[in-house]
Amino acid sequence: MLGLKQSDLASKAMITRSVLLGLEQPGRKHPDQLALFQLRDALIRDGLTFVDATEAAGEGVRWAKPSGKVWVDCLKDARAMLGYSLDELSEKSGVGRYVIARLEKTDRKRINEEAARRLRDVLFDNGVVILAEEADIGAGVRLRSRVRPAK
């Protein structure tokens, strides 16, 4: 959501890029708790807030303050949350990859509303909800349902 390179995020969190890469691995067994706290604190300092999971919905992340972003501004974040490439989302949605890329740009001239709605629906069907900006908190994304820990 911040648009940072891994090396820049690692630097802000005062961890090495290799530690950050390790934290991002889905199969990691025991993540470094100190590195996780440093990473969380760096993201919070840069204006993000974390959304806790509830019985009804999963965890997520959003801007801590309203910023004027519209829900379309979170399409890229929702795609990233699912780990989809442009090509994968294009295949699942039927929306061309170049249309998706244009929608994900913040300096777009106009919004293809039909394509944006189709993408939002596909992302929702695959487990991610885009959170609209509210009066006291910014837009964001969250998992549609709570992820159950593996046994």
Side-chain angles (χ1 to χ4, degrees):
M1 289 178 73
L2 295 171
L4 297 173
K5 296 179 197 172
Q6 286 176 327
S7 57
D8 294 335
L9 179 56
S11 178
K12 283 179 175 275
M14 295 181 290
I15 58 177
T16 65
R17 186 171 174 268
S18 62
V19 168
L20 179 60
L21 290 171
L23 292 174
E24 292 178 345
Q25 296 304 311
R28 69 185 182 281
K29 297 289 183 200
H30 301 286
D32 180 332
Q33 293 298 310
L34 178 59
L36 282 175
F37 288 131
Q38 288 175 246
L39 182 57
R40 181 201 62 203
D41 290 347
L43 295 170
I44 290 170
R45 279 192 307 274
D46 273 10
L48 297 180
T49 188
F50 294 94
V51 180
D52 291 330
T54 66
E55 288 298 318
E59 57 196 6
V61 64
R62 65 190 312 165
W63 294 101
K65 296 179 182 174
S67 62
K69 291 183 182 290
V70 294
W71 69 267
V72 176
D73 294 325
C74 294
L75 285 172
K76 186 175 186 177
D77 307 318
R79 178 172 64 83
M81 192 172 233
L82 291 171
Y84 288 171
S85 68
L86 283 172
D87 291 327
E88 288 169 318
L89 184 55
S90 176
E91 184 178 315
K92 289 179 183 299
S93 67
V95 175
R97 74 182 313 277
Y98 295 107
V99 173
I100 297 170
R102 281 195 305 269
L103 283 169
E104 289 181 350
K105 287 186 177 214
T106 55
D107 62 345
R108 61 188 167 269
K109 302 263 188 268
R110 66 177 191 81
I111 295 173
N112 179 330
E113 295 288 341
E114 180 183 337
R117 275 193 298 276
R118 195 167 350 150
L119 292 170
R120 182 186 59 200
D121 292 346
V122 166
L123 292 164
F124 179 83
D125 290 345
N126 285 276
V128 172
V129 177
I130 296 175
L131 304 170
E133 187 165 277
E134 298 174 18
D136 60 343
I137 195 160
V141 293
R142 85 179 304 161
L143 295 172
R144 191 175 74 195
S145 62
R146 195 174 184 157
V147 175
R148 306 266 187 249
K151 292 184 177 188

